[in-house]
Amino acid sequence: MHSSHDAVIVGAGQSGLAAAHHLRRRGLSAVVVESGSEPVGSWPHYYDSLTLFSPARYSALPGLRFPGDPDHYPHRDEVVDYLRRYAATLDTDIQTSQRVTDVDYDGQLFTAHTATGKVYTAPRLVAATGGFGTPNIPSLPGQTDFTGDIVHASRYRSPSAFAGQRVIVVGAGNSAVQIATELAETASVTVASRTPVTFVPQRPFGRDVHFWFTISGLDALPIGHLIREPPTVPTVDTGRYRAALTAQRPVARAMFTRLEADAAVWPDATRSTVDTIILATGYRPDLTYLHSLGALDDTGRPLHRKGVSTTHPGLGYLGLEWQRTLSSASLRGVGRDARRLIAHLDPVV
């Protein structure tokens, strides 16, 4: 089968766009295949108040600075607009509303099949759907008897839908704390987690924490292959979130032991009536389209080393949490990973 492109990129979020940039820099052509209606990834679907914890100067993709004050913290909608502009600067074929359902490999070429019946073929394939495509929804003891609502944070948009409710937010990371603190203004909120919420100051010694991550080399340290299970990242805090938890708005508690009817039972055997549980429990990679290829392990995780597939030459991954570094799944880090991946993505010739 003839290929009219040097690479197929699955996903037109930040990872796919960074991959397209570096392919073009190496003189290679690509087609980017995106399931959504525009090349902005998952950003429009995050909650309304989401604000980056990294300043604009550390939140850009390669080749295009993030607009505005370099020290401001961009809002979700600013990121969406930035990705639209970034995609427009790429001399790359971007195909939207095309969800890849399956990928074949004949020993030389990858063929991506879409739900609409279109096919895209190339000797390289970059799986750039990242690590945030599928909500991680754990099983909670007693949840079948629970009469309240259980929703993942991916469905949370604003506090208005939960006003006056008794809510438990499950999780200890940035999203859990940010959502719980916002909700606590209009609802009775508890943050429940297996490990205590921890904090990193936003501006230690007068400089943003990402400045220190960068000059120390921590942000780009390639230790991802040593991380078996991604740790819970501490909450980056200006002081607002620590103060909110100290004031018990929201209340922080160790994870409940079980649910029953309309309540949660805590480790000390006390009960709290609950209307809604919000699971800020993260995401998993959405790579089901590679299942028949034999590129994933039994849990659906990709078999790779620093993004380069260990099962198929020419296959690579971008945007996975701790793929190479602390920042691999972020705007500030995916460009580094994309540059390295494209340089090492050698197909069979």
Side-chain angles (χ1 to χ4, degrees):
M1 183 180 292
H2 174 70
S3 169
S4 57
H5 297 95
D6 295 306
V8 174
I9 301 170
V10 183
Q14 61 199 38
S15 302
L17 298 179
H21 169 87
H22 282 293
L23 282 161
R24 293 300 300 168
R25 289 197 65 182
R26 297 181 71 86
L28 301 172
S29 66
V31 57
V32 186
V33 187
E34 165 61 33
S35 62
S37 60
E38 56 179 338
V40 292
S42 301
W43 284 96
H45 307 296
Y46 296 143
Y47 52 96
D48 294 349
S49 64
L50 186 147
T51 301
L52 296 187
F53 288 95
S54 56
R57 71 169 73 248
Y58 300 111
S59 302
L61 295 176
L64 183 67
R65 66 178 292 273
F66 205 104
D69 182 349
D71 292 321
H72 91 285
Y73 297 90
H75 180 264
R76 176 200 66 185
D77 295 342
E78 291 181 77
V79 177
V80 173
D81 288 341
Y82 172 77
L83 292 176
R84 289 188 185 118
R85 289 196 298 273
Y86 192 88
T89 69
L90 299 173
D91 182 17
T92 299
D93 182 10
I94 300 176
Q95 298 284 313
T96 57
S97 301
Q98 296 293 330
R99 182 173 61 87
V100 173
T101 58
D102 193 40
V103 174
D104 298 328
Y105 180 64
D106 66 4
Q108 289 189 316
L109 297 176
F110 294 94
T111 301
H113 303 265
T114 71
T116 64
K118 288 190 175 183
V119 296
Y120 302 93
T121 302
R124 300 170 182 82
L125 187 136
V126 179
T129 41
F132 302 96
T134 303
N136 178 37
I137 302 178
S139 178
L140 303 174
Q143 70 179 45
T144 55
D145 298 322
F146 183 60
T147 57
D149 294 324
I150 301 176
V151 299
H152 190 268
S154 59
R155 292 173 54 191
Y156 174 79
R157 291 295 176 271
S158 70
S160 59
F162 305 91
Q165 290 192 14
R166 294 155 297 192
V167 180
I168 295 176
V169 178
V170 176
N174 282 306
S175 294
V177 174
Q178 191 174 70
I179 289 171
T181 301
E182 178 179 70
L183 274 174
E185 298 178 6
T186 57
S188 175
V189 184
T190 300
V191 180
S193 57
R194 300 193 184 283
T195 58
V197 175
T198 57
F199 300 95
V200 170
Q202 182 82 68
R203 298 184 63 83
F205 306 108
R207 303 294 295 266
D208 184 86
V209 65
H210 295 89
F211 167 82
W212 301 109
F213 284 171
T214 300
I215 66 166
S216 68
L218 177 62
D219 214 41
L221 195 63
I223 59 172
H225 64 288
L226 303 176
I227 307 294
R228 292 189 175 274
E229 289 295 332
T232 299
V233 177
T235 297
V236 180
D237 187 23
T238 60
R240 174 192 177 191
Y241 299 117
R242 186 188 292 273
L245 266 67
T246 299
Q248 297 193 322
R249 292 178 56 86
V251 175
R253 299 190 69 166
M255 185 66 183
F256 52 81
T257 57
R258 68 181 186 278
L259 299 172
E260 52 182 38
D262 63 347
V265 180
W266 302 98
D268 62 2
T270 59
R271 299 171 74 257
S272 297
T273 304
V274 184
D275 298 304
T276 301
I277 294 173
I278 298 176
L279 301 173
T281 47
Y283 297 80
R284 291 179 176 173
D286 181 14
L287 297 168
T288 54
Y289 53 90
L290 297 178
H291 180 75
S292 63
L293 199 63
L296 311 177
D297 67 16
D298 292 341
T299 68
R301 295 180 180 181
L303 298 166
H304 73 99
R305 183 171 179 82
K306 299 181 180 180
V308 179
S309 171
T310 56
T311 63
H312 294 75
L315 174 63
Y317 304 91
L318 275 178
L320 301 174
E321 193 174 12
W322 283 100
Q323 176 173 311
R324 291 187 63 245
T325 71
L326 166 69
S327 57
S328 281
S330 70
L331 281 162
R332 71 183 189 275
V334 72
R336 281 192 297 264
D337 283 9
R339 182 178 65 248
R340 180 189 183 278
L341 174 68
I342 299 308
H344 287 77
L345 205 60
D346 298 323
V348 172
V349 294

